[in-house]
């Protein structure tokens, strides 16, 4: 009688453990998946407030070492910019003499972004 009771308890426990392991394996496999880039050409929406530059990275991949230049003079380098919205204070843009960008009556006339995508390819955006 004891053998029957032991085997009847043990069999369902094995199947539950196997099911649990299968679910955990599936979850781990799914978390390693990332969406494919939407475009091989960098795409971004740019916005400007009185104190910040707003960048909406719509490429679907992370930008590494993003060098952003305002009016061919003031630069800021972001080590990484994720897909989605980023906000950079205009005071972080500096020229060769260390002067920070100050927004005056005139808005910026030119903006360029040089990035390296997740595949290591250099990309250039210009507005």
């Amino acid at each position: 009688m004891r053998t029957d009771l032991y085997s009847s308890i043990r069999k369902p426990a094995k199947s539950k453990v196997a099911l649990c392991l299968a679910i955990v394996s599936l979850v781990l496999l799914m978390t390693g998946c990332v969406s494919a880039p939407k475009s091989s050409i960098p795409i971004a929406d740019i916005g400007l407030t009185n104190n910040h530059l707003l960048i909406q990275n719509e490429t679907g991949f992370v930008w590494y070492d993003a060098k952003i230049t305002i009016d061919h003079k003031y630069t800021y380098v972001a080590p990484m910019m994720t897909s989605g919205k980023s906000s950079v204070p205009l005071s972080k843009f500096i020229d060769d003499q260390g002067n920070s960008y100050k927004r005056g009556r005139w808005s910026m006339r030119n903006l360029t972004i040089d990035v390296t995508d997740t595949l290591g390819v250099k990309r250039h955006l210009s507005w």
Side-chain angles (χ1 to χ4, degrees):
M1 183 77 160
R2 181 177 169 169
T3 308
D4 293 336
L5 179 60
Y6 180 73
S7 63
S8 66
I9 292 173
R10 190 164 181 197
K11 286 180 184 175
K14 281 184 179 179
S15 64
K16 288 181 182 178
V17 169
L19 179 62
C20 183
L21 286 174
I23 291 172
V24 169
S25 298
L26 183 61
V27 168
L28 289 174
L29 181 65
M30 295 289 288
T31 58
C33 298
V34 295
S35 60
K38 297 175 188 173
S39 172
S40 62
I41 301 169
I43 300 170
D45 284 331
I46 303 298
L48 189 64
T49 68
N50 286 337
N51 299 316
H52 288 84
L53 177 67
L54 308 172
I55 301 170
Q56 174 79 28
N57 175 359
E58 296 182 359
T59 56
F61 56 82
V62 176
W63 293 344
Y64 293 99
D65 300 321
K67 180 181 177 185
I68 307 166
T69 306
I70 297 174
D71 295 338
H72 303 288
K73 184 176 180 182
Y74 298 93
T75 60
Y76 170 75
V77 177
M80 180 181 75
M81 294 185 85
T82 60
S83 182
K85 285 187 180 181
S86 296
S87 175
V88 181
L90 291 173
S91 61
K92 290 197 174 198
F93 290 86
I94 57 171
D95 64 9
D96 292 338
Q97 288 78 34
N99 301 316
S100 63
Y101 179 79
K102 291 185 178 38
R103 188 168 179 199
R105 288 190 310 185
W106 304 104
S107 190
M108 64 180 65
R109 294 173 295 280
N110 183 302
L111 179 78
T112 59
I113 302 175
D114 295 298
V115 299
T116 303
D117 66 18
T118 52
L119 300 174
V121 178
K122 301 280 185 188
R123 307 285 183 178
H124 178 79
L125 298 96
S126 183
W127 287 266

